[in-house]
Amino acid sequence: MFVELNNLLNTTPDRAEQGKLTLLCDAKTDGSFLVHHFLSFYLKANCKVCFVALIQSFSHYSIVGQKLGVSLTMARERGQLVFLEGLKSAVDVVFQAQKEPHPLQFLREANAGNLKPLFEFVREALKPVDSGEARWTYPVLLVDDLSVLLSLGMGAVAVLDFIHYCRATVCWELKASILYLMQGNMVVLVHDSGDAEDEENDILLNGLSHQSHLILRAEGLATGFCRDVHGQLRILWRRPSQPAVHRDQSFTYQYKIQDKSVSFFAKGMSPAVL
Amino acid sequence: MTPSEGARAGTGRELEMLDSLLALGGLVLLRDSVEWEGRSLLKALVKKSALCGEQVHILGCEVSEEEFREGFDSDINNRLVYHDFFRDPLNWSKTEEAFPGGPLGALRAMCKRTDPVPVTIALDSLSWLLLRLPCTTLCQVLHAVSHQDSCPGDSSSVGKVSVLGLLHEELHGPGPVGALSSLAQTEVTLGGTMGQASAHILCRRPRQRPTDQTQWFSILPDFSLDLQEGPSVESQPYSDPHIPPVSKNAKARTRKCSLVSGHGRENKSCRGWGWGQGF
């Protein structure tokens, strides 16, 4: 995880808020560093993590995880991490007969109307194991990224329904279990393609924005590529159910991604230009 | 002190705003955005209705019941009738616990009431329903529910009905929003500037010209309103009732879009992420 980002978000693995939905969004840049941050963050927080990875392979996330101080292989072996490798699973679903419902079953179906099998996979993955003791602090669902589901033919409302059910389960229902004393969290990534015609992506992005407690939006610089400033990060804290006594807070920082860390600074305050 | 007297014990201006939103009955459209959320105002109106002794029904689709009730004291919570469509709205659990017919069925059931007690129905959210139901069906049911107290030839005196609908503007096109707007007796468009929230209120009173005003406010932790002096507080007859009011921000966006696109229609920057334009 990136310590500077934790400082900006005023959080640490041992005192993170629970029951929250965090929306990651990137526009004209690659926001995957945020996914890597939250994956390592919640593994270090000793959470039970279900990672629906639709973009990259397990080895990719594992290599980056090593740089950030977590071993995805060990986390998976000890049962802390449940990893759905979308790229590999998609091949299995399409080219092999399935005896049981598969999380990505919609790829085989001409008119798949919903993502219920994927939700059931998530619910099963994060269901507490009745081992008599609580090994993990709270459940976390991480999805990278939801826009792929639109590209694979699912409608925006179907994806919103999937997230709705995950929220109802991860953020609320699972807290009722004696093995999970706290509500779970969710972190999802959606790309903002900037395409004015992409109404489905707009609906997905805006729909999730209204449900989110925290929105992190990575944007490319308007002036183009810069060697020392890789983009800017907009942070918006929302409290959808709480009165706006203090207005939803929003901040913007620029950042530079390095080998094992990300540095953040105020706009125009890059060390390279000072 | 009766509940009604207690409800009116607040500041005069606070009551004026909430009263004006609830006075007409019918459909009250709360239009919010990512940057300026409207659920707080919805809850403030729910609290006001409950304190006035009205029956208050909540159709909870978007957030959990616990999350919606958060911030209300036990007195208010005990007065709310909560219909939970958050946990399993599509009956994926196949337990048949949900109200048969879902949220639409619940709304239709409310059309058949004969109770003389005034009732307030809060839809949290109308956007959730509009994304999943045909617009025409939803509009028909909303019209039936919000006008059941004014049915001609009905000998029973059905109490006043207020339907509070939370609508997330960025999620819908101009067609569905326009249809809902035409049904609404009162429209509240939430916005703000420099960290201060505002409500642009358009009221359509029978046999009168629509009036609009802008009120600056904040909502306190107990969901009472704190009215504030803002840059401008206007109350004037609205000149053209067929053209809905457009906020300054939306006007600026439309002007910008026309200049940028050259086609006079919305481009990407206008469709959503309003918070991106607020700072």
Side-chain angles (χ1 to χ4, degrees), chain A residues 22 121 232:
Chain A
T22 299
F121 168 82
Q232 65 181 24

Side-chain angles (χ1 to χ4, degrees), chain A residues 77-89:
Chain A
E77 285 172 0
R78 64 174 178 256
Q80 184 186 11
L81 173 66
V82 176
F83 192 96
L84 175 64
E85 191 166 352
L87 293 172
K88 193 173 163 188
S89 298

Side-chain angles (χ1 to χ4, degrees), chain A residues 161 164-165 167 205 241 247, chain B residues 35 62 67 86 88 195 273:
Chain A
D161 288 340
H164 179 111
Y165 269 84
R167 217 160 39 94
L205 190 54
S241 301
R247 279 304 315 159
Chain B
E35 188 186 14
E62 202 163 279
E67 198 170 333
F86 174 75
D88 188 12
W273 287 86

Side-chain angles (χ1 to χ4, degrees), chain A residues 88-98 102 104 106-108:
Chain A
K88 193 173 163 188
S89 298
V91 174
D92 295 339
V93 169
V94 174
F95 294 109
Q96 295 179 18
Q98 301 295 316
H102 190 281
L104 302 182
F106 67 92
L107 293 173
R108 290 181 64 89

Side-chain angles (χ1 to χ4, degrees), chain B residues 7-272:
Chain B
R8 283 158 179 77
T11 63
R13 292 182 65 209
E14 169 195 342
L15 297 173
E16 193 179 311
M17 176 173 166
L18 294 179
D19 277 340
S20 73
L21 295 179
L22 295 171
L24 291 182
L27 178 62
V28 179
L29 209 54
L30 304 178
R31 300 166 67 154
D32 74 350
S33 62
V34 172
E35 188 186 14
W36 302 102
E37 61 87 19
R39 186 166 286 110
S40 307
L41 182 59
L42 177 70
K43 290 174 73 167
L45 290 168
V46 162
K47 176 183 173 180
K48 177 71 165 60
S49 298
L51 287 176
C52 287
E54 297 186 10
Q55 270 187 24
V56 182
H57 292 259
I58 316 294
L59 263 64
C61 305
E62 202 163 279
V63 299
S64 67
E65 181 174 356
E66 293 93 333
E67 198 170 333
F68 190 89
R69 288 181 181 275
E70 199 176 343
F72 288 145
D73 58 31
S74 56
D75 179 42
I76 299 296
N77 274 321
N78 289 337
R79 297 171 191 239
L80 304 183
V81 179
Y82 199 92
H83 306 268
D84 184 4
F85 294 105
F86 174 75
R87 274 188 306 156
D88 188 12
L90 307 177
N91 199 28
W92 281 7
S93 65
K94 303 289 185 196
T95 58
E96 302 294 339
E97 284 182 2
F99 192 96
L104 199 64
L107 266 181
R108 285 190 170 124
M110 291 181 198
C111 293
K112 299 171 186 171
R113 57 183 288 271
T114 55
D115 206 321
V117 176
V119 67
T120 293
I121 304 165
L123 305 178
D124 184 14
S125 63
L126 189 49
S127 283
W128 195 97
L129 298 173
L130 191 56
L131 283 177
R132 291 159 179 83
L133 299 170
C135 183
T136 49
T137 305
L138 183 59
C139 287
Q140 284 167 359
V141 175
L142 283 175
H143 185 268
V145 169
S146 57
H147 285 81
Q148 60 182 300
D149 55 342
S150 57
C151 293
D154 189 344
S155 59
S156 64
S157 55
V158 178
K160 177 173 77 73
V161 179
S162 297
V163 179
L164 311 175
L166 180 60
L167 192 73
H168 308 311
E169 283 201 299
E170 305 100 328
L171 294 186
H172 313 289
V177 173
L180 289 169
S181 177
S182 67
L183 287 178
Q185 274 63 55
T186 308
E187 274 185 72
V188 183
T189 304
L190 291 156
T193 184
M194 303 298 291
Q196 179 122 5
S198 68
H200 183 270
I201 304 168
L202 174 68
C203 293
R204 299 188 180 94
R205 292 181 175 81
R207 295 179 295 279
Q208 294 181 31
R209 303 189 83 171
T211 59
D212 71 317
Q213 65 171 12
T214 299
Q215 185 64 64
W216 299 85
F217 70 100
S218 65
I219 299 178
L220 303 177
D222 65 350
F223 293 99
S224 55
L225 242 58
D226 178 24
L227 299 183
Q228 290 152 358
E229 298 292 335
S232 62
V233 177
E234 307 163 69
S235 181
Q236 57 190 356
Y238 196 69
S239 57
D240 188 344
H242 298 295
I243 299 176
V246 178
S247 68
K248 284 183 185 174
N249 286 342
K251 279 180 184 168
R253 287 199 295 273
T254 305
R255 230 177 284 125
K256 178 186 171 186
C257 293
S258 299
L259 290 170
V260 170
S261 68
H263 296 296
R265 65 185 177 99
E266 285 184 14
N267 70 8
K268 178 70 171 71
S269 64
C270 303
R271 287 187 59 87

Side-chain angles (χ1 to χ4, degrees), chain A residues 3 6 32 89 92 101 122 182 217 236 267:
Chain A
V3 175
N6 283 346
S32 59
S89 298
D92 295 339
V122 170
M182 290 175 279
R217 181 181 169 94
L236 177 65
K267 282 170 124 175

